[in-house]
Amino acid sequence: MKVANEASLISIGDLSKRAGVAASTLRFYEDKQLIQSIRQQGQRRHYARDVLRRVAFIRAAQTAGLTLEDIQQTLAALPDQRTPTKRDWEKMSASWQPLIQQRIDALTALRDQLNSCIGCGCLSLKSCALYNPGDIAANKGSGARYLAGDRPPSAVCAVSGKKSPSK
Ligand code: FES
C-alpha cells in the first residue's frame, strides 16, 4: 500500500485507541488481510488513517453477522493504492443490503412474535390453537416456522378474534 503523506500514518497503539479495538485484534485482521500496515525497516507497524474506516466497517459487518470471509471478499474490491472514496464504499456495501435486510426482518419478527405462537411445534400457548392448530407449521419444515418468515394460512387475532389474510 502506498501512502503519500507519512505524517498521516498512525501507530498501532493510536489505531487501537481510536478504533476501540485491541491491538491483538488489529494484528489478527492484518493476518487475515482485512487491513494492511506499513512497516519501515526496524520500525513498528503504522497504518494509513483510512484504515480506521476499514476497521469500523469490519466491526459493523461483524455485528451484522457477516463472516470474516464475506468481509474479506468485499474489502478486496477496494482500491489498494488510494484512499477509497464515498462511491467506493457505496458500491462495496450495496451487496450487503439484502443480507442486512434479512437480519433486520428476522430481528423484527423476533421482537414482535416471541410472546405469541412462533410455530415451533410446542403447542404450549393458548394462541397455538389459533395460529398453529395441530402443529400445521411442521408441514413447512423444521424449526420455529413463524419466526423463519412463514405465516399461518390465516392469522386470527387472539384479542379480537378477527381473521387477517395470510401474507
Ligand atoms: S409457540 Fe410453539 S407452536 Fe405455538
Side-chain angles (χ1 to χ4, degrees):
M1 178 190 289
K2 275 186 192 168
V3 175
N5 181 0
E6 272 189 41
S8 68
L9 296 178
I10 55 176
S11 69
I12 189 167
D14 288 342
L15 178 62
S16 169
K17 195 171 163 188
R18 183 63 184 85
V21 174
S24 58
T25 302
L26 295 173
R27 286 191 289 272
F28 174 74
Y29 287 164
E30 195 167 342
D31 288 346
K32 295 284 177 188
Q33 299 178 329
L34 295 166
I35 62 173
Q36 204 173 5
S37 68
I38 297 150
R39 287 208 223 191
Q40 285 141 355
Q41 258 188 341
Q43 289 194 343
R44 294 176 177 213
R45 303 167 200 244
H46 283 80
Y47 298 87
R49 288 196 73 82
D50 60 44
V51 171
L52 271 167
R53 189 175 177 89
R54 272 185 194 253
V55 173
F57 195 83
I58 294 163
R59 301 302 282 181
Q62 285 185 298
T63 301
L66 286 133
T67 66
L68 284 182
E69 287 71 29
D70 290 336
I71 300 168
Q72 192 178 34
Q73 266 183 359
T74 308
L75 283 174
L78 283 178
D80 210 21
Q81 303 295 319
R82 67 168 167 79
T83 300
T85 64
K86 183 175 182 284
R87 182 82 188 114
D88 293 326
W89 287 106
E90 282 171 357
K91 269 189 352 201
M92 192 186 68
S93 60
S95 64
W96 290 356
Q97 297 302 322
L99 182 62
I100 291 171
Q101 190 57 53
Q102 230 174 39
R103 309 253 163 172
I104 290 169
D105 292 346
L107 287 172
T108 303
L110 186 64
R111 181 198 65 198
D112 295 346
Q113 296 175 32
L114 206 51
N115 294 334
S116 64
C117 177
I118 55 174
C120 63
C122 70
L123 302 175
S124 64
L125 302 179
K126 275 188 182 173
S127 65
C128 295
L130 297 172
Y131 289 96
N132 190 24
D135 194 18
I136 55 168
N139 296 331
K140 307 226 176 201
S142 58
R145 300 312 312 167
Y146 303 154
L147 274 186
D150 291 327
R151 294 284 171 263
S154 61
V156 179
C157 174
V159 178
S160 69
K162 288 183 182 171
K163 276 190 170 187
S164 64
S166 60
K167 292 178 187 169

